[in-house]
């Protein structure tokens, strides 16, 4: 048995045996992954998709393994791109071992997928995680009996404390290959068609033919593509089988299958699970408060105020950035680099590419390292805490109805909240939204009406001590957000969003978990965004050199005066495009120089918040949504932001509001 | 409804799937039994509602006496899923993912701003559109008593 599987594993991944961790979202996969892998890990896009998959190495006993942390999935019938990736890892990568991680207290619901894995003839170990919460909830599970029922190893763990890890490692080390032969008959016309499809398929697939046949009958694109590669001649026969089912059956194939799996899972769970009462009254209550709009909105406000404004804005973007930028860069690094470059590179033009006012090092790297890195790090600390506590799904639920009006579902709240950290990164995260329509609308709104933390810091400083002005600014920007979202939802065609989300129990965030998540995100962010910053520096350098910059500033002077600003402000807007916050900082200088009055400040703040996204985000829009859409969004925003600023200026001056 | 020929219980809203491939399916008022294919006339809604009301007052609550769409259920009630509308495939997959399949017991925690359900020991939030595809029957000994 051992030999057969060894050779099989060698056959497919010549270097290492692969262990794939699969399971529902939020069952602790990442924690287990980190427990297993330690230092070596990489996060990369799954080929042909935008989904991130983490891989790492683990030495267990004397053997090295490659461990893959797959995105959360509920079953083999996949809905989102993430689930597709997880599924493809299972059916294409021929894992040596699949660890199905479940939340033990919900065993009866998650067992259905274990059964599917067994039916697929994948070598599986079932890990019952969160045993601590399970015990607290008064659920008892007879693990030996479950092993007997399923004929696979079953281990109970608490991955956050390490309980059960030794046992799991031991089970992996001594894994002797699969001995289970699970088959759950579906019955009726579907079973008949399934049997016929199994006869059609040859042996070249890495998982059970039954699973391939099943997915083919479900009309799963990926699996049909796979069959097209291997046996194009049977595609039309499969289509006939599908028609045959459609002519008999009441419900789609995946529904019938889910029903049968559920029956079997209920039976097994009934044999091994016992429940008495338990529960955490306080957390239940708090959860209820978060979901009730009357109490939920104040809670949201408190979270935003302390988390974003105080911690990220004042401490991160203020104190820490001042220190790194002011002392470390301005005093030591920049002068040093300038000296080195001027002595090595003889041409002044080329020198300015590296160390000039907008040089690669003095602007690009400095921005990325001194300004963005600390802000983003602090933001991700807060975000990871919020995420780890289980608050985000409750926020999504709270806001779903409002978001439906602007063509989004509650899920979009995650990129939107991220946008307050960095819009560029948030635009990247819109990938996780299920439909193109939602991705497009959220990209537009992020670019238009969500100010990033760097920008927010400067704007709030500008508006400091002017409560009415702050109120007008926030009001106008929120109105624009809702109004444009509403219009976009009316105009952009496509499937209406639908919302479903699991609400995990509230938990105290774990420090180690928060730190690891922050670290991974900051690193990933840095790799994706640093190149864009460098590119922006090159653009600015070219712009200056060729005179395009001066030309554009002159062009901008008219519209800038139209919204009641002094012509000097034109430069601010152009800079705003290259770095949103930089534009805001320019505004700050203008105010200090006494060039702007209260009304002008509000108008400028509104215009800058709405104005074209920074160039990094522009490039990200293009990268994620394509050239046409990226440019189109930018044009729209260009005119729209000036339009709003014009109307606001007109209204304020004619109403005689003194700010 | 119950098929008068073979006695199979099925939900007529989901029974159209049995009519796939029939050219007249669109404005046809007949219901085809998914089990034996017998075509029957459904009882009009108003008659059924009439009886349903009556039952509501009289019935001892057991899990299968009446069918309500989940979006019309009051909160804090324990119910059993009896049927799921299966036409909209992408919605159906979401319902499968949260496990709200016939036979499952669930408890409705909130309706506003979105629906929050307890299924087993997990909670899920879904929107009204998804909730309206799930049919449930209140169980005896529910939270109201
Ligand atoms: N009480 C308890 N909490 C756990 C356990 N394992 C994980 N957690 C917590 O569960 C939450 C989710 O863990 P993750 O590792 O992020 O879950 P995941 O499965 O990777 O989630 P996705 O990345 O969304 O698929 C975190 O807050 C963990 O601290 C456990 O055994 N007991």
């Amino acid at each position: 048995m051992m030999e057969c599987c060894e050779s099989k594993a060698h056959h497919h991944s010549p270097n290492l045996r692969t262990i794939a961790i699969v399971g529902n979202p939020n069952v602790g996969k990442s924690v287990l992954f980190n427990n297993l892998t330690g230092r070596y890990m990489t996060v990369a896009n799954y080929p042909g998709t935008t989904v991130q998959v983490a891989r790492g190495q683990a030495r267990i006993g004397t053997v090295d393994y490659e461990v893959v942390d797959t995105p959360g999935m509920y079953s083999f019938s996949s809905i989102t791109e993430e689930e597709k990736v997880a599924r493809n890892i299972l059916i294409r990568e021929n894992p040596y071992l699949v660890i199905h991680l479940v939340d033990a207290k919900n065993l009866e619901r998650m067992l259905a997928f274990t059964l599917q894995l067994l039916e697929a003839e994948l070598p599986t170990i079932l890990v019952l995680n969160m045993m601590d919460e399970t015990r607290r909830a008064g659920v008892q599970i007879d693990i030996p009996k479950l092993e007997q029922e399923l004929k696979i190893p079953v281990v109970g763990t608490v991955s956050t404390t390490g309980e059960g890890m030794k046992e799991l490692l031991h089970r992996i080390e001594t894994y002797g290959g699969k001995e289970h032969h699970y088959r759950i008959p579906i019955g009726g016309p579907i079973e008949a068609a399934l049997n016929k499809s199994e006869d059609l398929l040859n042996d070249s697939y890495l998982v059970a033919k039954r699973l391939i046949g099943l997915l083919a009958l479900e009309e799963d694109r990926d699996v049909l593509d796979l069959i097209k590669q291997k046996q194009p001649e049977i595609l039309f026969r499969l289509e006939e089988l599908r028609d045959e089912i459609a002519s008999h059956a009441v419900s789609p194939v995946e529904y019938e299958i889910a029903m049968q799996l559920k029956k079997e899972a209920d039976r097994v769970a009934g044999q091994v699970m016992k429940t008495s009462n338990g529960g955490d009254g306080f957390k239940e209550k708090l959860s209820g408060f978060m979901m009730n709009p009357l109490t939920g909105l104040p809670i949201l406000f408190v979270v935003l105020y302390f988390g974003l404004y105080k911690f990220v804005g004042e401490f991160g973007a203020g104190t820490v950035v001042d220190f790194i930028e002011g002392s470390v860069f301005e005093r030591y690094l920049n002068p040093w680099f300038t000296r080195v470059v001027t002595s090595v590179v003889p041409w002044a033009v080329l020198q300015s590419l590296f160390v000039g006012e907008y040089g690669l090092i003095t602007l690009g790297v400095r921005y990325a390292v001194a300004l963005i890195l600390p802000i983003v790090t602090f933001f991700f600390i807060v975000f990871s805490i919020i995420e780890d506590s289980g608050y985000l799904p409750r926020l999504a639920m709270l806001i779903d109805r409002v978001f439906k009006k602007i063509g989004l579902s509650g899920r979009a709240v995650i990129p939107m909240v991220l946008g307050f950290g960095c819009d560029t990164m948030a635009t990247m995260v819109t990938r996780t939204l299920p439909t193109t329509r939602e991705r497009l609308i959220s990209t537009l709104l992020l670019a238009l009406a969500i100010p990033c933390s760097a920008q927010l810091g400067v704007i709030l400083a500008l508006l400091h001590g002017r409560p009415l002005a702050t109120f007008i600014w926030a009001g106008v920007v929120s109105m624009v957000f809702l109004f444009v979202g509403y219009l976009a939802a009316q105009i952009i065609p496509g499937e209406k969003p639908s919302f479903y989300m699991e609400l995990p129990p509230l938990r105290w965030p774990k420090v180690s978990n928060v730190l690891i998540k922050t670290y991974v995100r900051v690193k990933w962010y840095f790799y994706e965004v640093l190149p864009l910053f460098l590119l922006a520096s090159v653009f600015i350098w070219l712009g200056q050199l060729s005179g395009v910059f001066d030309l554009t500033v002159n062009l901008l002077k008219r519209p800038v005066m139209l919204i009641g600003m002094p012509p000097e402000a034109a430069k601010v807007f152009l800079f705003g495009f290259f770095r949103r916050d930089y534009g805001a900082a320019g505004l700050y200088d203008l105010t200090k120089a006494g060039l702007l009055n209260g009304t002008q400040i509000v108008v400028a703040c509104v215009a800058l918040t709405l104005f074209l996204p920074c160039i990094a985000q522009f490039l990200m829009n293009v990268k994620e949504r394509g050239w046409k859409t990226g440019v189109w969004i930018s044009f729209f925003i260009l005119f729209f932001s000036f339009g709003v600023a014009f109307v606001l200026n007109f209204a304020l001056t004619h109403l005689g509001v003194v700010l | 409804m119950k098929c008068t020929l073979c006695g199979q219980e099925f939900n007529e809203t989901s029974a159209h799937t049995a009519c796939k491939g029939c050219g007249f399916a669109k404005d046809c008022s007949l219901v085809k039994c998914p089990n034996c294919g017998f075509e029957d006339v459904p009882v009009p809604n108003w008659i059924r509602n009439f009886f349903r009301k009556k039952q509501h007052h009289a019935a001892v609550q057991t899990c299968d006496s009446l069918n309500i769409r989940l979006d019309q259920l009051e909160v804090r009630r324990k119910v059993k899923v009896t049927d799921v509308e299966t036409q909209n495939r992408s919605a159906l997959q979401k319902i499968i993912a949260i496990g709200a399949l016939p036979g499952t017991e669930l408890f409705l925690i909130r309706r506003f701003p979105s629906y929050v359900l307890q299924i087993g020991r997990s909670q899920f939030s879904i929107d009204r559109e998804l909730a309206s595809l799930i049919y449930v029957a209140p169980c005896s000994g529910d939270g109201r008593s």
Side-chain angles (χ1 to χ4, degrees):
Chain A
M1 205 71 191
M2 192 73 198
E3 267 161 40
C4 101
C5 294
E6 234 170 19
S7 65
K8 205 172 159 194
H10 274 289
H11 180 226
H12 231 253
S13 68
N15 318 318
L16 293 176
R17 293 167 165 179
T18 304
I19 298 178
I21 305 175
V22 301
N24 283 25
N26 249 302
V27 292
K29 289 186 297 298
S30 311
V31 181
L32 177 68
F33 175 82
N34 290 324
N35 283 352
L36 287 178
T37 53
R39 281 169 299 157
Y40 307 103
M41 77 140 177
T42 53
V43 181
N45 281 356
Y46 192 75
T49 69
T50 50
V51 179
Q52 307 271 327
V53 174
R55 291 170 195 263
Q57 273 190 28
R59 163 159 292 211
I60 299 169
T62 55
V63 187
D64 282 328
Y65 299 87
E66 182 196 47
V67 185
V68 190
D69 182 11
T70 67
M73 72 191 291
Y74 287 96
S75 78
F76 274 110
S77 320
S78 20
I79 310 167
T80 62
E81 199 181 7
E82 265 114 352
E83 287 175 88
K84 284 202 178 103
V85 166
R87 209 261 320 272
N88 281 350
I89 290 175
L90 287 180
I91 60 180
R92 284 175 187 249
E93 293 194 12
N94 194 19
Y96 167 74
L97 189 61
V98 176
I99 294 182
H100 183 210
L101 194 66
V102 301
D103 171 1
K105 62 184 175 303
N106 284 306
L107 181 64
E108 72 265 50
R109 191 162 55 79
M110 302 192 176
L111 205 51
F113 184 46
T114 318
L115 298 175
Q116 240 185 345
L117 288 167
L118 299 189
E119 244 197 329
E121 292 170 17
L122 285 160
T124 307
I125 290 186
L126 177 61
V127 175
L128 309 177
N129 194 30
M130 309 211 176
M131 287 302 280
D132 53 339
E133 286 185 356
T134 308
R135 285 188 290 259
R136 238 175 291 142
V139 179
Q140 281 154 1
I141 299 172
D142 185 344
I143 293 181
K145 191 151 187 197
L146 187 55
E147 288 196 324
Q148 273 175 19
E149 281 284 336
L150 302 176
K151 299 198 180 57
I152 55 168
V154 180
V155 186
T157 62
V158 180
S159 60
T160 39
T161 65
E163 182 188 319
M165 286 310 295
K166 248 203 187 132
E167 161 93 3
L168 174 61
L169 292 177
H170 176 71
R171 290 305 189 86
I172 296 174
E173 204 182 334
T174 56
Y175 188 69
K178 52 184 178 239
E179 288 170 15
H180 53 268
H181 303 281
Y182 228 95
R183 226 182 145 96
I184 297 157
I186 298 164
I190 296 180
E191 183 71 40
L194 200 51
N195 287 332
K196 279 184 210 156
S197 72
E198 279 181 74
D199 292 339
L200 288 173
L201 293 163
N202 63 25
D203 284 322
S204 62
Y205 302 90
L206 297 169
V207 290
K209 288 192 264 180
R210 188 172 171 85
L211 178 69
I212 299 288
L214 209 136
L215 292 172
L217 294 182
E218 281 179 22
E219 242 170 303
D220 186 291
R221 283 260 64 85
D222 288 333
V223 166
L224 289 178
D225 283 347
L226 189 69
I227 296 175
K228 200 169 172 186
Q229 281 167 24
K230 298 189 185 235
Q231 297 177 272
E233 69 281 2
I234 68 167
L235 279 176
F236 93 101
R237 291 279 297 128
L238 289 171
E239 203 177 321
E240 280 177 9
L241 288 175
R242 273 202 299 276
D243 290 344
E244 206 173 304
I245 294 180
S247 69
H248 284 294
V250 197
S251 321
V253 178
E254 56 266 38
Y255 180 70
E256 295 289 333
I257 288 160
M259 289 291 292
Q260 295 309 321
L261 285 171
K262 180 188 147 49
K263 251 188 217 152
E264 177 65 9
D266 282 349
R267 185 190 70 76
V268 176
Q271 306 247 331
V272 301
M273 280 180 94
K274 260 210 228 91
T275 20
S276 50
N277 270 335
D280 194 331
F282 169 70
K283 283 182 183 164
E284 271 303 305
K285 283 226 176 71
L286 182 59
S287 167
F289 285 140
M290 286 174 173
M291 297 189 291
N292 186 338
L294 280 183
T295 41
L297 290 176
I299 291 178
L300 172 63
F301 182 76
V302 168
V303 169
L304 288 180
Y305 181 76
F306 284 101
L308 275 188
Y309 183 71
K310 283 284 175 194
F311 187 68
V312 180
E314 288 195 352
F315 184 65
T319 320
V320 178
V321 167
D322 283 350
F323 171 74
I324 301 184
E325 164 138 70
S327 342
V328 182
F329 265 86
E330 304 265 286
R331 203 165 309 154
Y332 303 105
L333 291 179
N334 281 355
W336 187 79
F337 272 115
T338 312
R339 257 202 323 274
V340 172
V341 173
T342 35
S343 64
V344 174
V345 182
W347 305 282
V349 171
L350 212 57
Q351 278 173 11
S352 67
L353 172 61
F354 291 100
V355 294
E357 198 183 347
Y358 309 102
L360 274 178
I361 294 169
T362 41
L363 184 80
V365 175
R366 179 168 65 101
Y367 256 142
V369 175
L371 198 71
I372 307 303
L373 184 66
I375 295 177
V376 163
T377 308
F378 277 92
F379 180 81
F380 281 146
I381 292 174
V382 174
F383 189 77
S384 303
I385 292 175
I386 293 178
E387 188 193 23
D388 214 43
S389 67
Y391 180 58
L392 283 178
R394 288 171 174 79
L395 184 57
M397 169 270 172
L398 191 65
I399 218 127
D400 180 60
R401 272 187 195 232
V402 178
F403 269 32
K404 285 278 169 58
K405 299 264 186 302
I406 57 173
L408 297 173
S409 87
R411 262 169 207 263
V413 84
I414 293 170
M416 290 301 161
V417 172
L418 259 176
F420 286 106
C422 170
D423 285 307
T424 308
M425 142 135 258
T427 306
M428 195 151 50
V429 171
T430 57
R431 290 166 184 175
T432 55
L433 299 177
T435 63
T436 343
R437 179 170 182 259
E438 284 168 81
R439 288 193 284 261
L440 180 58
I441 294 177
S442 48
T443 305
L444 172 65
L445 290 177
L446 280 170
L448 181 68
I450 305 277
C452 67
S453 54
Q455 205 185 9
L456 210 52
V458 189
I459 287 180
L460 289 178
L462 268 175
L463 294 171
H464 193 77
R466 300 173 192 264
L468 184 59
T470 312
F471 184 75
I472 294 180
W473 167 77
V476 170
V477 173
S478 318
M479 296 270 287
V480 166
F481 179 84
L482 293 176
F483 177 69
V484 172
Y486 179 77
L487 279 189
Q490 305 301 310
I491 295 167
I492 299 171
E495 199 185 333
K496 289 237 154 26
S498 117
F499 175 67
Y500 78 106
M501 204 165 203
E502 184 161 356
L503 304 172
L506 290 176
R507 298 193 177 94
W508 288 109
K510 285 251 157 22
V511 177
S512 60
N513 222 6
V514 170
L515 290 183
I516 290 174
K517 279 187 177 164
T518 308
Y519 168 73
V520 171
R521 289 201 168 111
V522 169
K523 193 173 137 194
W524 165 52
Y525 168 79
F526 211 60
Y527 280 118
E528 295 249 359
V529 173
L530 185 63
L532 296 183
F533 273 101
L534 297 183
L535 204 59
S537 295
V538 176
F539 276 138
I540 299 180
W541 175 71
L542 282 176
Q544 288 244 309
L545 207 65
S546 60
V548 172
F549 243 55
D550 292 335
L551 202 74
T552 322
V553 169
N554 275 331
L555 269 179
L556 277 176
K557 274 190 181 145
R558 274 217 68 83
V560 164
M561 280 156 78
L562 222 54
I563 62 172
M565 307 299 260
E568 288 84 354
K571 212 170 165 190
V572 169
F573 282 92
L574 187 63
F575 281 5
F577 177 61
F578 287 100
R579 280 301 316 157
R580 265 185 163 187
D581 50 291
Y582 205 68
L587 204 58
Y588 195 70
D589 294 341
L590 285 182
T591 321
K592 270 221 213 118
L595 288 172
L596 299 178
N597 62 29
T599 309
Q600 284 174 317
I601 290 180
V602 178
V603 174
C605 282
V606 167
L608 263 188
T609 310
L610 300 180
F611 193 56
L612 280 187
C614 75
I615 190 160
Q617 195 186 348
F618 171 74
L619 294 174
M620 184 60 79
N621 285 353
V622 167
K623 190 173 153 211
E624 294 283 318
R625 302 285 97 84
W627 266 108
K628 234 173 82 186
T629 314
V631 172
W632 182 87
I633 287 180
S634 304
F635 259 100
F636 169 74
I637 290 175
L638 177 66
F639 290 104
F640 191 80
S641 59
F642 271 105
V644 171
F646 178 79
V647 172
L648 182 65
N649 181 50
F650 188 83
L652 288 178
T653 38
H654 283 256
L655 290 175
V657 183
V658 179
L659 294 166
Chain B
M1 66 186 277
K2 197 172 194 159
C3 173
T4 38
L5 187 66
C6 67
Q8 166 96 352
E9 282 278 2
F10 64 96
N11 184 312
E12 66 228 51
T13 42
S14 61
H16 320 181
T17 19
C19 306
K20 245 191 210 162
C22 168
F24 302 107
K26 231 181 167 177
D27 339 276
C28 168
S29 57
L30 294 177
V31 176
K32 188 169 184 148
C33 168
N35 189 40
C36 63
F38 180 70
E39 287 173 7
D40 203 351
V41 190
V43 185
N45 265 339
W46 63 270
I47 297 185
R48 240 185 330 167
N49 286 343
F50 184 74
F51 281 107
R52 205 177 261 177
K53 276 245 168 60
K54 271 196 167 166
Q55 273 178 359
H56 191 74
H57 292 295
V60 192
Q61 288 194 335
T62 53
C63 278
D64 44 13
S65 61
L66 28 89
N67 266 342
I68 309 178
R69 259 169 41 191
L70 185 57
D71 63 320
Q72 287 160 355
L73 188 74
E74 311 144 46
V75 291
R76 312 249 119 227
R77 297 200 72 178
K78 192 175 228 156
V79 294
K80 199 168 208 158
V81 178
T82 52
D83 204 353
V84 173
E85 191 115 19
T86 56
Q87 262 106 310
N88 178 343
R89 206 146 173 183
S90 74
L92 177 66
Q93 285 176 339
K94 287 164 192 158
I95 292 173
I96 294 176
I98 67 168
L101 294 167
T104 310
E105 277 191 11
L106 59 82
F107 184 72
L108 185 62
I109 298 175
R110 294 196 71 84
R111 292 163 54 104
F112 186 82
S114 301
Y115 289 74
V116 176
L117 324 170
Q118 173 108 24
I119 300 179
R121 279 169 199 277
S122 320
Q123 293 183 0
F124 294 92
S125 176
I126 58 176
D127 56 21
R128 166 184 249 123
E129 289 69 35
L130 283 180
S132 69
L133 302 177
I134 302 172
Y135 290 82
V136 295
C139 289
S140 50
D142 65 17
R144 289 202 316 168
S145 53

